[in-house]
Amino acid sequence: NPLDDSLKHITLQQFYEIYQRDNKQRTTYNTLIAYNNAIKAFSPLLNMELVDITHADILMCINAMPYSVTTKNMYLRILKSVLKYAVTTYRIINTSPAKDIKQIKTRNKRELAVFTESECIQLLNSLKERHMSYYIACAIARYTGARYGEVLGLSWNDVDFVNRTITINKQLAKISSNTFGIKEPKTKNSIRVIPIPPVLITILKEYRQQQGNNYSILPLKKSNTSAINTMIRSIIKGKSFHDLRHTYATILLSNGVDIKTVSALLGDTVDVVIKVYVHYTEEMKLKATQQV
């Protein structure tokens, strides 16, 4: 029986409003938009009672969606999250009708984009001449693997020059359509302390002497990456800011750093690291087999 008898005949649309209300404090603006778009994509189910929605109903919606496989998979993950909440928190349904629906597999998997060492040098040298804030942002990402919002959320208090570490405990994120602000990191795993090499220590010390005693490291006030990506692509074709994160991870994996450590430094789970960097993790397994 549901925790509240009044919820027995609740529709997907009505329950989604409850779900959003309960999770409002933990949801970023961009995540909220993604969730809203996902629920709209399942429009044939919105006025159906949760108890009446079947596995087949969801499959029919997914097959009819005019979106890419990546988008369909994302929308399915979101619907699963909402329905799981109806099972575990409110006990409106005994089991989620989406539980056993598998992600759609794609034949052509996009190759992971990473910077070569020479491209990293070229990028940083060029940005240092053209845009100092972007130079510092890319240097931090290159040597920490931090996300763009995490880099922009850094203050000088987060940098320990003595112990050579940077602490990630917040991010700059969208909080409304045209407003950005400091928020908690993406996940609990995202809160972390990252060791940094002497080269980044030198870069940050030189930059701080130029900048003065400002609280924030960077003056950038928007966390969308379109502007910085445009400049990066004008220097290195086909690359983006997020590819610096991939570069950081693949360098660690290629040099034998274990997956658990890499996931901790990235602020991701071990499963995510294995999935995203499967080629490098398979390489590690092969090396381990040879050693055994």
Side-chain angles (χ1 to χ4, degrees):
N1 294 322
L3 296 177
D4 181 349
D5 282 350
S6 67
L7 301 178
K8 280 183 178 179
H9 302 293
I10 195 170
T11 65
L12 176 60
Q13 177 68 59
Q14 291 168 336
F15 182 73
Y16 177 65
E17 291 168 8
I18 293 174
Y19 177 88
Q20 286 291 20
R21 180 201 67 197
D22 290 356
N23 294 279
K24 187 176 182 180
Q25 296 301 319
R26 300 192 299 273
T27 306
T28 66
Y29 179 77
N30 287 338
T31 302
L32 175 63
I33 296 300
Y35 269 65
N36 288 344
N37 289 339
I39 294 302
K40 286 177 185 175
F42 288 98
S43 57
L45 309 180
L46 290 180
N47 293 320
M48 290 180 65
E49 294 181 7
L50 288 184
V51 293
D52 293 333
I53 297 174
T54 66
H55 183 106
D57 292 330
I58 296 170
L59 279 178
M60 286 178 65
C61 279
I62 293 170
N63 291 333
M65 287 179 188
Y67 306 122
S68 67
V69 169
T70 302
T71 302
K72 286 183 178 183
N73 283 335
M74 179 180 71
Y75 287 175
L76 174 60
R77 287 195 299 272
I78 290 171
L79 181 66
K80 282 186 174 186
S81 178
V82 173
L83 292 175
K84 184 180 178 181
Y85 198 69
V87 174
T88 58
T89 305
Y90 284 90
R91 299 208 298 266
I92 298 170
I93 47 180
N94 292 325
T95 186
S96 167
K99 182 180 178 182
D100 296 323
I101 299 177
K102 305 294 184 185
Q103 295 277 298
I104 305 167
K105 292 183 178 179
T106 54
R107 291 183 179 179
N108 300 320
K109 192 173 182 180
R110 181 178 173 270
E111 190 175 339
L112 200 66
V114 296
F115 288 84
T116 64
E117 182 60 29
S118 60
E119 286 175 338
C120 283
I121 294 169
Q122 182 185 347
L123 175 68
L124 293 179
N125 287 343
S126 182
L127 287 176
K128 191 174 183 179
E129 298 295 325
R130 296 169 61 178
H131 199 297
M132 181 55 68
S133 293
Y134 287 172
Y135 163 66
I136 296 300
C138 286
I140 293 172
R142 162 68 180 83
Y143 294 112
T144 67
R147 304 173 180 93
Y148 191 54
E150 293 172 342
V151 173
L152 299 192
L154 288 171
S155 66
W156 286 112
N157 292 336
D158 299 320
V159 183
D160 187 335
F161 288 108
V162 176
N163 295 308
R164 294 179 179 175
T165 63
I166 279 181
T167 299
I168 304 288
N169 53 25
K170 54 191 176 303
Q171 65 170 333
L172 184 71
K174 212 170 192 178
I175 55 178
S176 67
S177 59
N178 293 309
T179 308
F180 294 81
I182 297 296
K183 296 195 68 174
E184 293 178 350
K186 188 177 180 182
T187 63
K188 288 181 180 178
N189 289 334
S190 298
I191 299 174
R192 59 202 189 275
V193 178
I194 306 170
I196 54 177
V199 60
L200 183 57
I201 291 288
T202 301
I203 290 170
L204 291 176
K205 280 184 176 179
E206 290 176 355
Y207 174 64
R208 191 173 192 184
Q209 287 176 352
Q210 299 170 18
Q211 193 196 31
N213 294 319
N214 292 344
Y215 174 77
S216 298
I217 293 178
L218 292 164
L220 303 170
K221 302 301 180 187
K222 292 185 178 181
S223 61
N224 45 14
T225 55
S226 56
I228 191 170
N229 283 342
T230 298
M231 185 164 286
I232 288 172
R233 287 172 184 138
S234 72
I235 302 166
I236 308 294
K237 189 177 179 181
K239 298 292 169 49
S240 70
F241 183 88
H242 199 72
D243 294 333
L244 290 166
R245 179 173 169 83
H246 294 322
T247 303
Y248 175 77
T250 54
I251 288 172
L252 292 178
L253 291 166
S254 297
N255 282 279
V257 180
D258 66 276
I259 296 170
K260 190 173 181 181
T261 301
V262 173
S263 64
L265 293 171
L266 289 174
D268 275 327
T269 63
V270 171
D271 287 344
V272 167
V273 172
I274 290 173
K275 185 177 179 181
V276 175
Y277 305 101
V278 63
H279 169 70
Y280 293 89
T281 52
E282 287 298 326
E283 216 172 76
M284 289 175 72
K285 286 180 187 176
L286 180 61
K287 287 179 181 177
T289 302
Q290 290 169 347
Q291 287 169 358
V292 170

